[in-house]
Amino acid sequence: MMTDPIADMLTRIRNAVRVEKETLDVPYSKLKAGVVDVLKREGYVWNYEIIEGTPCNTIRIQLKYSLSGERVIQSIRRVSKPGRRIYSSSKDLKPVLNGLGITILSTNKGVVSDREAREQKVGGEILCEIW
């Protein structure tokens, strides 16, 4: 049994980016799909698709690199953990690396980036930071 599936997904992304893989498969959940959707909207991955299968569905993520082959995702870090949840209001959200990175939050309006949370004036659980 896995205690933190989000941390597992982030570790898989981190490892795949380090060895410069083009695609990556992770087990499906609605929360993981929401995180990957935010990564696509913010320009950290090219695309993703949900592949139906047995015994479980998977998410296939197409990782993004620059034209010179440099990684788009330099670092990815889990903030809120199962033993210690971190929550923040929209007013308390600070930009990551002066706006060069993003924070991904789970809110009552769905999974959003810190920019979208400030626009919508919603707070929630801070899942991870990416730059």
Side-chain angles (χ1 to χ4, degrees):
M1 185 173 114
M2 192 179 315
T3 58
D4 194 0
I6 297 297
D8 177 64
M9 181 185 78
L10 298 177
T11 300
R12 288 179 190 221
I13 292 172
R14 186 182 313 114
N15 292 340
V17 166
R18 280 192 184 147
V19 296
E20 298 178 357
K21 290 188 89 172
E22 292 183 16
T23 61
L24 164 71
D25 290 346
V26 295
Y28 173 81
S29 76
K30 287 182 182 179
L31 184 59
K32 290 179 191 177
V35 170
V36 174
D37 188 50
V38 170
L39 290 176
K40 181 183 175 196
R41 284 195 312 257
E42 294 290 329
Y44 286 95
V45 297
W46 284 116
N47 203 355
Y48 72 96
E49 62 180 325
I50 298 168
I51 299 171
E52 304 283 330
T54 54
C56 64
N57 299 338
T58 58
I59 304 171
R60 179 159 292 152
I61 305 167
Q62 294 178 353
L63 299 172
K64 189 174 188 179
Y65 301 95
S66 69
L67 293 176
S68 62
E70 189 175 341
R71 299 179 268 228
V72 174
I73 298 175
Q74 296 294 323
S75 179
I76 189 164
R77 182 176 72 94
R78 179 82 157 119
V79 176
S80 186
K81 298 179 171 121
R84 182 170 183 225
R85 303 288 186 189
I86 308 292
Y87 297 95
S88 178
S89 66
S90 62
K91 293 177 266 183
D92 296 333
L93 287 173
K94 300 203 178 3
V96 177
L97 287 179
N98 293 326
L100 295 177
I102 62 167
T103 301
I104 297 179
L105 291 95
S106 175
T107 68
N108 58 356
K109 304 245 176 148
V111 180
V112 296
S113 70
D114 57 343
R115 293 179 194 129
E116 295 167 336
R118 281 197 283 297
E119 287 173 6
Q120 297 175 9
K121 293 186 169 75
V122 293
E125 180 185 350
I126 300 175
L127 296 176
C128 60
E129 292 179 343
I130 299 167
W131 64 90

